[in-house]
């Protein structure tokens, strides 16, 4: 698998503003925030995207979603509502090919996204 910028963040080779970390996942502020709160939740395991996850990753995927909700709670997002989204492939808007969930909130979010 080719390396990504998120691999470098996981290995501490480039800095990131971490808001959460555990054995399986880390969460950090997006460098190009699209909302007042914009956190990325990623697995330590280098899965390319949700489409590349396997049955063996089911528990990890559930854990990542729980981390998204915990990060949102810690950022005070549940009251105003928020969004969790993962982009898949270039056509889906993915630019970093290491699975990540965007946690966005702090403003009214439009639907559908562009
Ligand atoms: P996506 O387009 O779904 O693959 O989202 C990738 C996100 O990653 C995008 O919102 C910008 C963010 N990003 C890219 N490079 C860096 C970086 O070096 N540090 C941080 N914190 N975020 C990054």
């Amino acid at each position: 698998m080719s390396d990504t910028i998120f691999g470098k963040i996981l290995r501490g080779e480039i800095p990131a503003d971490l808001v959460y970390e555990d054995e399986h996942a880390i969460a950090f502020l997006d460098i190009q925030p699209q909302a007042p709160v914009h956190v990325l939740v990623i697995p330590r395991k280098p899965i390319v995207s949700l489409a590349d996850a396997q049955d063996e990753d089911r528990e990890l995927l559930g854990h990542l979603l729980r981390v998204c909700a915990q990060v949102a709670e810690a950022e005070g997002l549940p009251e105003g509502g928020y969004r969790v989204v993962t982009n898949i492939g270039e056509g889906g808007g993915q630019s970093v090919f290491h699975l990540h969930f965007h946690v966005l909130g702090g403003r009214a979010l439009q639907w559908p996204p562009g």
Side-chain angles (χ1 to χ4, degrees):
M1 172 172 310
S2 61
D3 194 19
T4 69
I5 197 85
F6 292 172
K8 295 186 194 329
I9 289 172
L10 280 163
R11 295 192 299 274
E13 294 170 8
I14 64 168
D17 292 316
L18 286 188
V19 297
Y20 177 90
E21 63 178 321
D22 65 26
E23 184 184 349
H24 300 292
I26 67 170
F28 51 94
L29 303 184
D30 194 294
I31 205 168
Q32 297 171 317
Q34 303 300 313
V37 175
H38 188 170
V39 175
L40 300 172
V41 175
I42 76 171
R44 293 190 185 275
K45 182 177 179 179
I47 299 168
V48 172
S49 80
L50 186 61
D52 294 273
Q54 304 296 311
D55 281 347
E56 67 192 31
D57 300 315
R58 290 162 73 118
E59 192 173 337
L60 175 60
L61 293 172
H63 178 67
L64 292 168
L65 290 177
R66 282 293 299 140
V67 172
C68 288
Q70 288 166 357
V71 164
E73 179 83 33
E75 297 287 339
L77 296 182
E79 187 178 336
Y82 65 98
R83 183 169 296 158
V84 175
V85 64
T86 187
N87 298 325
I88 300 164
E90 285 182 18
Q94 187 176 10
S95 60
V96 179
F97 293 90
H98 181 122
L99 173 64
H100 52 283
F101 292 93
H102 298 258
V103 180
L104 298 144
R107 66 169 171 82
L109 299 169
Q110 306 303 310
W111 191 263

